[in-house]
Amino acid sequence: MIRRSVFVIVTFLALLPNIGLAQNQPFRVLALYSTNVESDHVDFAKQAIQFFAEHAEKDHFTFESTTQWDDLTKASLAQYQVILWLNDFPHTPEQRAAFEKYMTNGGGWLGFHVSAYNDKDTHWPWYVDFLGGGVFYGNNWPPLPAALIVDDPSHPVTKGLPAQFISPANEWYIWKPSPRLNKDVKVLLTLDPANYPLGLKDALTGGDLPVVWTNTRYRMLYMNMGHGDKIFTSPTQNQLMENAILWLGNRQ
Ligand code: ZN
């Protein structure tokens, strides 16, 4: 009996380092972006690259970035656990097909702002479905700060955030239909309706405006933040960004 207990304890102890290792397993992140797009979107991409590169060391993941969207191939994507789209989306059928395969096979994706933009000219129905079905409908102008509400404080992505906070100046997008109406979508942050009307030249006047959400059929997260050089000026929002990448890397 004693011998058996010792065996159980030894086995348990032997397993412990492996459990620790699994949680701290390094993961690889690739960020894709474009420089021939709106300058405010390029500013965001450059700051995002700096932010995630700094956190890579602290949080033990590797971080690379590229403007080569042709790197979206099955072979290249197989090397990464998480990919980021900072200010653009793939435009060729080959790039799109490789991404669909990557996501269907369990790859992780974090998309910002204009990366989810789609309209009648996008011609990529799979992607609209992947995002939860919303088509771009409108935005505020100029970029403005806005109060956001945390929908689910128990989710790893919103861990440590207050119930409500002011998100720095951004161009906010509204979608039709709202992704919230999709049963597979879990909305994590929403624009507080108290912000309406939001904007001067172009004003958002009402409606459901999810800001951060996941389509639970995939390991994906979309964040509407991503316009201009103020996005990383809020420690609270920076925490959200860090949570997001760790969650997609299966670390929390
Ligand atoms: Zn924008």
Side-chain angles (χ1 to χ4, degrees), residues 77-228:
L77 287 174
Q79 304 171 54
Y80 299 98
Q81 283 71 51
V82 184
I83 63 166
L84 273 52
W85 292 356
L86 300 177
N87 64 6
D88 206 353
F89 51 85
H91 294 270
T92 74
E94 294 78 16
Q95 295 164 359
R96 291 176 174 185
F99 176 69
E100 290 178 22
K101 193 115 201 140
Y102 171 75
M103 292 311 303
T104 308
N105 290 336
W109 176 84
L110 174 56
F112 292 95
H113 195 53
V114 74
S115 70
Y117 180 87
N118 69 85
D119 61 22
K120 62 178 173 40
D121 297 322
T122 311
H123 303 299
W124 192 11
W126 181 91
Y127 187 50
V128 178
D129 181 61
F130 169 78
L131 290 165
V135 174
F136 175 80
Y137 181 64
N139 61 273
N140 65 290
W141 196 261
L144 290 170
L148 304 185
I149 296 167
V150 174
D151 288 79
D152 181 0
S154 67
H155 196 279
V157 169
T158 55
K159 197 170 120 187
L161 299 190
Q164 190 165 10
F165 67 94
I166 302 294
S167 177
N170 188 45
E171 177 191 29
W172 303 97
Y173 293 166
I174 194 161
W175 314 86
K176 242 183 186 174
S178 165
R180 196 191 309 273
L181 299 174
N182 184 322
K183 65 174 174 34
D184 293 322
V185 165
K186 183 166 186 54
V187 177
L188 301 177
L189 287 166
T190 301
L191 188 93
D192 185 343
N195 291 292
Y196 294 132
L198 182 65
L200 301 168
K201 183 172 169 284
D202 298 310
L204 295 167
T205 54
D208 180 30
L209 196 158
V211 170
V212 178
W213 71 83
T214 179
N215 179 342
T216 56
R217 284 161 50 214
Y218 300 95
R219 196 150 62 87
M220 66 82 89
L221 192 74
Y222 172 71
M223 293 193 180
N224 190 231
M225 300 82 171
H227 187 106

Side-chain angles (χ1 to χ4, degrees), residues 148 165 167-168 225 231-232 234-242:
L148 304 185
F165 67 94
S167 177
M225 300 82 171
I231 301 296
F232 294 96
S234 157
T236 302
Q237 184 159 287
N238 291 352
Q239 181 65 59
L240 169 75
M241 303 277 186
E242 187 178 4

